Amino acid sequence: MRMWTIARKDLLTLRRDRSALVFTFGMPIILTFVFGSMSGGKGDSGSVHGLKVLVANQDFGARGTESIEAMEHAGLKAIFETGGKEAIEKRIAKGDFVVGVVIPPDFSQQFDASLTDHNAPHAALEMIVDPADTRVSGMIRSVVAGANERLVVSSVVKQYPDAALALLNRPSVDLNVLNAKSSELTPGDVFLPGFMVYFVFSLANGVAATLLGERQEGTLRRMLISPVSRAQILGGKLLARSILGLIQTALLVGIGVQWLHLSVGQAPIGILVTAGTTIFAACGLGMLMATFGKTMEQIQGMTTMFLLLLGFISGTLIPRALLPDWMVKLSYITPHAWALNAYQDLIQRHHTLVSTLPNIAVVAAFGIVFFSFALARFKFE
Amino acid sequence: MSSNSQPIATVRDLRKSYGSLIAVDGVSFDIQEGEVFGLLGPNGAGKTTTISILSGILPPTSGDVSVIGLDTKTGGAPLRMAIGVVPQELAIYQKLTGRENLQFFGELYGIQGAALSARVTEMLEMVGLTERADDRAADYSGGMKRRLNLAIGLMHNPRLLLLDEPTVGVDPQSRNHIFEGVRALNKKGLTVLYTSHYMEEVEALCDRVGIMDRGKLIACDTVAGLIASLGGSVIEVGVDASEKLDQVADRLRQMPLIKEVELTAAESEESETPRVTISVRTQQPNRVLPPLVSELAEVQASIHSLNVREPNLEDVFLTLTGKNLRD
């Protein structure tokens, strides 16, 4: 009951703080609209220079290598995977890569056969893409297709001048795109998971500010003098921020469904669980950050910069596929990355809540660690 | 004072240190039920630390502190319900109205429903904020905020009210409101611990006074008792500042009838020349006055005022510590 009294007071205080309201609810909505409108979620433009493609070259001939060279010539960076298709699928599912290409053992044989025999089956590459990142995978897909077409044309022109004209009329390397059943992601599917994580973590700023503000103004001391435990005070504050976080997430999901065609059909409970866990971790982070500053100015400057930094390195603001390798690895030290994984599993990969529970568990673990350190460090007096 | 001589709070050999800094050093006193007990001392004397320990939110380094017979370290909810605290800072929510502030803190003490509404109305009337009850505290004047600060500490009808410098930065009207409120509450039986570095406030309000300096309680008695311990009168002479006044003071200190001599800078709106007040404490002002005037005449000091008065708590503090309360 007393916890609810504290939560209600916090919500009433926030309701009268227009700038905080704008930041908590207005900014996420505006940014979602802006980014959602800017991209159709299809992502077929932009530079591919340096984008990484996992390649498993099982070809016994030379054409496989030539295909890889053509892709690299087009600006892609081939990362070789010796474990075959299964290993590529695992690494993509983990989120380390967006696209993988498997060059089958008979690629050269079929490639060369198709140059002289128009009835021979086309050489085919298997492309495995992460449905969670259609923007980048779409770009890479186009480049791989284009690179192989150039390979075909140059080979034909060099070695089989007679066949060149005929070959130019049809593709001789097919791209069999796998894992693409949900590749038609909407702008909501593409942008909202990152935004839902980033903006919920921005609650940490509010948690830090309210704790420090109450300590500075003496109201925290006043609450401590009353028959209210420290756990109840913190619980009340957590409750208030949880309500805010859930409203914020609900607003984003509502807008996503209404205007950006967000797909939540199979995952509403999963989204709720992920949101709740993320809010818990965000509040823990906010409380921990409150222990590092002495003044409100220090706290607000520090948390704003820190949260922005976490947003960038975690992949919530920039797709992880566009980050350098070391930063992708680094992203997993942030709770954001795991929460993002959970949302992407649920919304983009159509996983079940159970199958993404490991991600949610990591987010919860971050929250527990944050709260533990914060409680050990926070000076109520 | 409506004392029935039962201590409501007992402090024994209280010490509180932060590393090498000793904030409270071996303080002992009792607060009798029904009295207004004052803690007088300059900033940094240890008054607020003592109040924090009494209210149970700060553990002592050593010593025993109890309120209504309960140890402040283990007293829990019954202890907290018995104590009301009005902190030195304005511990109110600026974005909430006066009424909402009172409701919130009332609820924390378990007051609900009709009882809460009635208590809020009563407190608003007591501190004269009824008409502004539904305005945000941020729009209140400094004095109104102080009054709201006081009302919050009284919401749960405590037995012991700890008032920590409640009149800092307060206009005269609000100060009177606070004084009248404290007196009225005390008449109804509320025990009050009142800390201040304003000697006049403590003299006007308190039945007994403890004087603190540098963490120690250096005297504790009724106001009359403390003043009587000094005895005599204080002669104050206002003169133009001069280098020779130090020599005059030294000579006066040699006189057997004079207990204490002090020179303090005095402000004057009438003259641009710096002025000094010479304060001389003596049991026999009639016999000291002629040689004092004679000494001043000898150094050709220009006398602007002459006053003989009874000693006050400021003089007590000066005698005990060798410095003024506001130094």
Side-chain angles (χ1 to χ4, degrees):
Chain A
M1 183 62 197
R2 285 182 171 121
M3 216 161 82
W4 172 240
T5 300
I6 293 166
R8 205 180 57 212
K9 180 268 300 171
D10 271 16
L11 292 171
L12 189 59
T13 307
L14 186 84
R15 204 182 76 188
R16 296 194 178 144
D17 188 342
R18 283 184 194 165
S19 59
L21 277 182
V22 167
F23 187 77
T24 307
F25 299 122
M27 285 300 286
I29 292 169
I30 291 166
L31 284 177
T32 301
F33 260 123
V34 170
F35 278 86
S37 305
M38 276 166 54
S39 167
K42 308 254 165 73
D44 54 1
S45 63
S47 169
V48 297
H49 186 77
L51 286 179
K52 298 180 290 290
V53 182
L54 265 181
V55 178
N57 186 4
Q58 299 167 335
D59 183 28
F60 294 119
R63 297 297 183 188
T65 308
E66 288 173 12
S67 173
I68 294 165
E69 285 169 359
M71 287 187 256
E72 289 191 319
H73 186 71
L76 297 175
K77 185 180 176 188
I79 308 291
F80 293 94
E81 170 57 62
T82 54
K85 182 178 169 185
E86 201 174 315
I88 287 181
E89 281 174 340
K90 274 188 185 169
R91 293 181 76 176
I92 288 177
K94 199 180 158 195
D96 293 345
F97 292 87
V98 176
V99 173
V101 174
V102 179
I103 303 174
D106 57 355
F107 181 74
S108 287
Q109 191 185 343
Q110 290 196 332
F111 186 98
D112 291 336
S114 68
L115 290 177
T116 52
D117 180 0
H118 294 181
N119 296 320
H122 298 165
L125 296 174
E126 276 190 306
M127 181 178 258
I128 301 152
V129 301
D130 182 2
D133 201 335
T134 51
R135 183 170 177 272
V136 175
S137 67
M139 286 158 57
I140 295 175
R141 191 170 148 185
S142 303
V143 174
V144 171
N148 280 284
E149 280 307 297
R150 281 193 292 277
L151 169 68
V152 170
V153 172
S154 66
S155 302
V156 169
V157 169
K158 278 181 193 168
Q159 298 177 31
Y160 307 98
D162 297 341
L165 196 59
L167 279 167
L168 284 176
N169 293 326
R170 68 188 186 98
S172 59
V173 176
D174 290 344
L175 277 182
N176 298 329
V177 180
L178 306 178
N179 285 2
K181 61 187 175 189
S182 59
S183 61
E184 288 304 314
L185 295 182
T186 66
D189 297 343
V190 172
F191 284 105
L192 274 171
F195 282 178
M196 286 196 291
V197 173
Y198 180 74
F199 285 114
V200 159
F201 269 98
S202 70
L203 291 175
N205 207 335
V207 173
T210 181
L211 278 170
L212 197 72
E214 292 228 30
R215 191 172 65 191
Q216 279 185 339
E217 287 168 19
T219 45
L220 185 62
R221 184 168 181 256
R222 198 155 215 170
M223 280 196 272
L224 289 167
I225 290 166
S226 72
V228 179
S229 67
R230 292 178 179 202
Q232 283 175 314
I233 293 171
L234 294 178
K237 295 205 158 287
L238 179 60
L239 183 60
R241 296 291 152 175
S242 299
I243 291 169
L244 285 180
L246 288 173
I247 293 173
Q248 187 193 72
T249 304
L251 275 173
L252 289 180
V253 169
I255 286 166
V257 169
Q258 189 67 33
W259 285 293
L260 303 171
H261 311 294
L262 178 73
S263 334
V264 291
Q266 297 174 40
I269 303 293
I271 289 174
L272 189 67
V273 173
T274 307
T277 315
T278 310
I279 290 164
F280 171 71
C283 289
L285 180 62
M287 196 180 156
L288 182 60
M289 295 184 87
T291 68
F292 286 101
K294 287 183 179 169
T295 66
M296 196 66 95
E297 290 73 22
Q298 272 181 9
I299 282 287
Q300 287 185 331
M302 187 176 67
T303 49
T304 303
M305 292 309 294
F306 187 60
L307 291 172
L308 199 60
L309 179 70
L310 289 181
F312 280 118
I313 64 171
S314 63
T316 51
L317 292 178
I318 296 176
R320 256 174 288 186
L322 298 180
L323 301 176
D325 282 346
W326 64 269
M327 206 182 274
V328 171
K329 286 175 187 160
L330 192 66
S331 72
Y332 288 103
I333 67 164
T334 71
H336 300 53
W338 298 92
L340 181 63
N341 274 358
Y343 276 130
Q344 287 181 333
D345 278 356
L346 294 164
I347 293 170
Q348 300 171 346
R349 301 180 186 112
H350 300 291
H351 288 187
T352 61
L353 168 62
V354 174
S355 66
T356 199
L357 272 180
N359 288 313
I360 296 171
V362 175
V363 179
F366 268 105
I368 291 167
V369 170
F370 290 153
F371 269 107
S372 305
F373 276 107
L375 283 170
R377 283 180 53 89
F378 188 73
K379 291 185 173 71
F380 283 84
E381 269 293 289
Chain B
M1 173 174 156
S2 51
S3 170
N4 57 9
S5 296
Q6 290 297 312
I8 194 169
T10 306
V11 178
R12 289 286 172 273
D13 199 20
L14 174 64
R15 287 172 203 279
K16 180 68 187 178
S17 55
Y18 301 93
S20 59
L21 176 75
I22 299 170
V24 178
D25 189 5
V27 167
S28 298
F29 62 87
D30 289 337
I31 303 174
Q32 305 299 326
E33 183 139 34
E35 76 171 335
V36 180
F37 182 83
L39 273 182
L40 180 69
N43 291 327
K47 306 187 297 292
T48 299
T49 306
T50 304
I51 277 199
S52 295
I53 294 168
L54 267 166
S55 64
I57 57 166
L58 195 63
T61 305
S62 65
D64 297 312
V65 182
S66 66
V67 175
I68 59 162
L70 299 170
D71 191 306
T72 53
K73 295 193 288 288
T74 56
L79 178 92
R80 284 153 196 258
M81 292 299 290
I83 298 172
V85 180
V86 179
Q88 189 172 342
E89 67 271 30
L90 288 169
I92 58 177
Y93 293 102
Q94 304 281 346
K95 288 193 176 75
L96 301 187
T97 66
R99 188 186 304 281
E100 287 164 346
N101 267 288
L102 291 170
Q103 281 171 339
F104 170 66
F105 284 105
E107 282 183 52
L108 289 190
Y109 282 91
I111 312 170
Q112 290 174 347
L116 179 65
S117 300
R119 187 66 181 162
V120 168
T121 304
E122 187 186 346
M123 286 298 101
L124 286 168
E125 278 174 17
M126 194 205 88
V127 295
L129 287 175
T130 304
E131 288 180 10
R132 300 288 304 274
D134 296 311
D135 291 347
R136 288 187 199 180
D139 298 330
Y140 287 180
S141 68
M144 291 165 78
K145 288 176 183 173
R146 283 268 161 217
R147 284 185 264 157
L148 177 60
N149 204 31
L150 172 65
I152 290 169
L154 292 165
M155 263 305 288
H156 60 292
N157 200 16
R159 287 176 62 186
L160 171 64
L161 182 66
L162 309 178
L163 281 164
D164 192 7
E165 307 260 8
T167 57
V168 172
V170 166
D171 58 275
Q173 186 195 353
S174 289
R175 180 178 291 209
N176 287 339
H177 240 298
I178 290 171
F179 273 27
E180 284 166 20
V182 172
R183 282 199 186 102
L185 289 162
N186 179 242
K187 275 187 184 170
K188 288 180 184 172
L190 178 70
T191 309
V192 179
L193 170 60
Y194 191 98
T195 79
S196 180
H197 61 275
Y198 296 125
M199 172 268 301
E200 306 85 355
E201 290 185 3
V202 172
E203 268 188 3
L205 270 179
C206 300
D207 302 305
R208 289 192 309 132
V209 180
I211 296 179
M212 287 191 78
D213 186 44
R214 295 179 183 178
K216 289 180 186 290
L217 188 72
I218 52 177
C220 186
D221 202 345
T222 60
V223 174
L226 286 168
I227 291 171
S229 69
L230 286 186
S233 301
V234 177
I235 304 168
E236 289 176 336
V237 187
V239 294
D240 280 346
S242 158
E243 289 177 359
K244 294 174 181 171
L245 291 177
D246 283 335
Q247 296 164 17
V248 172
D250 287 341
R251 284 200 290 276
L252 291 172
R253 287 186 186 107
Q254 307 299 321
M255 294 183 184
L257 293 176
I258 292 178
K259 286 188 172 178
E260 202 169 275
V261 179
E262 195 206 2
L263 302 182
T264 49
E267 288 179 10
S268 170
E269 292 177 357
E270 298 160 11
S271 166
E272 289 183 0
T273 312
R275 289 188 176 173
V276 169
T277 300
I278 303 171
S279 302
V280 175
R281 192 162 61 77
T282 174
Q283 297 281 10
Q284 299 182 46
N286 293 342
R287 291 183 61 190
V288 167
L289 207 47
L292 169 59
V293 172
S294 167
E295 284 285 347
L296 290 169
E298 201 168 300
V299 296
Q300 296 177 325
S302 173
I303 298 176
H304 298 284
S305 62
L306 180 64
N307 179 36
V308 180
R309 62 166 175 80
E310 294 300 302
N312 56 30
L313 286 177
E314 182 83 43
D315 301 313
V316 175
F317 190 81
L318 179 68
T319 304
L320 292 171
T321 66
K323 61 187 181 187
N324 284 307
L325 260 170
R326 284 157 213 175
D327 279 352

